[in-house]
Amino acid sequence: MLKIDPEFADQIPPLTEEEFQQLEANILSDGEVINPIIIWNGVIVDGHNRFRILEQHPEIPYRTFEKKFSDRSEVVAWICKNQLGRRNLTPEQRKYLIGKQYGAEKQGPFRGNQYTLSCESGCSQNGNNQKTCEKVARENHVSKNYVIRANHYADGVDAAEDVVPGTRHEILSGKICPVDSAVQAVAQAPPEEREAFANHLRDPEVQRRGRKRPESDEDRIMRKIADDMDDPGGQVSGSSMLATLHGVTATMIRGCNRCFEMFPSLLTESAYREQVIAIMQEPKTYIITLETGGVPE
């Protein structure tokens, strides 16, 4: 009899109802579960959704494949990498899985939930963590800093789930979208305060969607110019427009650098790099037009 380990099952991003129904329809149409269910010592490692369907249709034949792992942390790391490699994931799900992969791989032998400890240690804590962080970053085409942030994020999600069951599903399914800092704060809070912090994740003020972005210097300049243009007696000076232009350019550069930081392979992998250069041809052409005395359209 196959067994489900809650911790292993929790690493699997939830299917939508439509996705689950489609999977069930495919299995019933095929008359069997084509892909084997991966197990370790009789515990399901991959195939939890297929097993749920099999429980409702015990007549459907299936196969299992026993995979060897040295300990539970290796199982968790494998599950995360497997999901990252084959699923269409939301940003939250991807971040959670990367954080869990790093957390599992840096632990070595399984020592239970470590979210209270990881907040006290970063990727540069020691040489082993540094190498593990670099490995996870390289495998997932992200920066090392992203891996560290993802680890803290995953710790916060798990800490919230421990004190308010169901929170993990709400976050990873997109039902609630709290900002990362609020999620991380749950794991960092004293044990007696974590429930309050977890419940705070549902507060509209910490939701990512619909949150008003703080007004930047560029925003204030643009608003001032718009106000002046709407005012018949107002005047827009060349210096204010130059300041606005500087702000717009700086914002574009920061945005590009942010993309390269989050996804370094944009610059290191030839296929991505070619697309980056192609995208940059438009602003390049714009600048050449200015330099040659033309007026951009």
Side-chain angles (χ1 to χ4, degrees):
M1 181 65 181
L2 299 182
K3 295 177 289 185
I4 292 180
D5 185 292
E7 184 188 16
F8 297 166
D10 286 342
Q11 311 311 312
I12 311 296
L15 294 178
T16 65
E17 188 63 32
E18 182 179 352
E19 290 172 333
F20 185 83
Q21 290 176 357
Q22 184 60 59
L23 177 61
E24 183 177 28
N26 291 343
I27 290 175
L28 293 177
S29 176
D30 294 333
E32 64 176 321
V33 177
I34 296 176
N35 295 319
I37 294 177
I38 309 299
I39 61 173
W40 176 60
N41 296 332
V43 178
I44 297 176
V45 173
D46 180 64
H48 294 84
N49 290 305
R50 281 167 278 162
F51 183 70
R52 285 174 55 197
I53 294 170
L54 288 169
E55 288 183 310
Q56 300 300 317
H57 302 278
E59 75 282 1
I60 298 291
Y62 68 94
R63 294 173 294 119
T64 62
F65 178 81
E66 178 80 27
K67 195 168 178 63
K68 297 185 182 300
F69 296 100
S70 60
D71 52 49
R72 292 178 61 90
S73 61
E74 188 177 355
V75 176
V76 172
W78 184 90
I79 291 173
C80 293
K81 288 189 287 187
N82 189 48
Q83 292 298 312
L84 285 163
R86 75 180 193 184
R87 291 284 301 275
N88 291 324
L89 304 169
T90 66
E92 289 76 21
Q93 290 169 344
R94 185 167 185 267
K95 187 188 313 175
Y96 177 79
L97 287 170
I98 290 174
K100 292 295 291 185
Q101 179 189 347
Y102 172 57
E105 291 193 12
K106 74 176 180 177
Q107 285 180 26
F110 182 75
R111 301 184 182 91
N113 291 328
Q114 299 287 327
Y115 55 76
T116 56
L117 299 178
S118 67
C119 292
E120 300 170 5
S121 62
C123 179
S124 59
Q125 181 80 10
N126 55 55
N128 290 334
N129 282 359
Q130 176 74 18
K131 292 178 181 178
T132 301
C133 186
E134 291 174 350
K135 171 182 174 293
V136 174
R138 184 172 58 255
E139 290 178 351
N140 293 288
H141 307 290
V142 296
S143 69
K144 291 182 292 184
N145 286 338
Y146 180 90
V147 173
I148 297 172
R149 292 194 299 270
N151 187 215
H152 294 329
Y153 177 84
D155 289 343
V157 172
D158 287 348
E161 176 68 18
D162 284 348
V163 293
V164 183
T167 303
R168 181 192 291 115
H169 178 76
E170 289 185 84
I171 294 174
L172 299 185
S173 67
K175 184 176 180 179
I176 60 175
C177 299
V179 295
D180 290 5
S181 58
V183 176
Q184 295 171 12
V186 181
Q188 298 167 355
E192 66 275 10
E193 297 180 15
R194 283 184 192 143
E195 183 175 355
F197 274 74
N199 286 323
H200 184 60
L201 298 178
R202 297 170 178 79
D203 194 316
E205 291 188 1
V206 300
Q207 297 304 301
R208 191 181 305 279
R209 290 178 184 157
R211 294 183 77 245
K212 185 175 180 180
R213 179 172 57 85
E215 190 178 51
S216 65
D217 291 339
E218 299 95 86
D219 293 331
R220 284 189 285 273
I221 292 170
M222 293 297 288
R223 178 168 53 80
K224 177 64 167 58
I225 292 174
D227 292 342
D228 290 342
M229 288 180 172
D230 289 337
D231 182 3
Q235 294 183 345
V236 179
S237 67
S239 60
S240 65
M241 293 303 292
L242 287 173
T244 299
L245 185 61
H246 175 75
V248 170
T249 304
T251 299
M252 187 195 79
I253 293 173
R254 284 199 300 270
C256 291
N257 288 337
R258 181 62 172 162
C259 290
F260 300 146
E261 176 191 350
M262 298 292 291
F263 207 89
S265 59
L266 288 177
L267 297 178
T268 58
E269 295 185 15
S270 58
Y272 283 131
R273 189 176 182 85
E274 290 175 2
Q275 294 181 64
V276 169
I277 293 175
I279 291 170
M280 291 299 178
Q281 292 306 305
E282 185 174 353
K284 179 181 178 180
T285 301
Y286 194 96
I287 293 171
I288 291 175
T289 301
L290 290 174
E291 290 178 335
T292 56
V295 178
E297 295 181 357

